[in-house]
Amino acid sequence: MTKLTSKQRKSLPDQEFALPDERKYPLDTKNRARNAKARASEEYHKGNLTKEQEETVDRKADHVLKEK
């Protein structure tokens, strides 16, 4: 997975993020979708995400993984 530069991340539209209001967890590739699921799970278990946020990330990432 290639690293996103700040410029590339800023150029992504909001709908390319699992949590668009916070612009967290980019889902522009399958690899990033897999990574988003893993990181969201970690953050949920650390207490930094709600269960609803984790489920949103999982749902949107699963959609990307099936689609692309």
Side-chain angles (χ1 to χ4, degrees):
M1 173 172 46
T2 60
K3 184 172 171 97
L4 275 177
T5 65
S6 294
K7 186 176 180 178
Q8 290 169 324
R9 186 180 177 90
K10 287 178 185 177
S11 72
L12 288 175
D14 287 346
Q15 65 265 22
E16 290 287 334
F17 290 88
L19 299 177
D21 293 341
E22 302 173 48
R23 292 187 59 87
K24 287 185 176 178
Y25 307 106
L27 302 173
D28 58 322
T29 66
K30 282 187 175 185
N31 283 337
R32 288 197 181 97
R34 284 186 206 95
N35 189 52
K37 288 175 64 88
R39 300 295 76 79
S41 177
E42 284 180 356
E43 292 301 306
Y44 169 71
H45 290 290
K46 289 180 184 178
N48 297 327
L49 284 182
T50 65
K51 185 64 175 168
E52 293 78 24
Q53 288 173 313
E54 182 195 20
E55 289 171 352
T56 298
V57 173
D58 282 346
R59 185 181 70 252
K60 289 183 177 184
D62 286 343
H63 180 74
V64 170
L65 292 170
K66 290 177 186 176
E67 182 178 281
K68 292 184 177 181

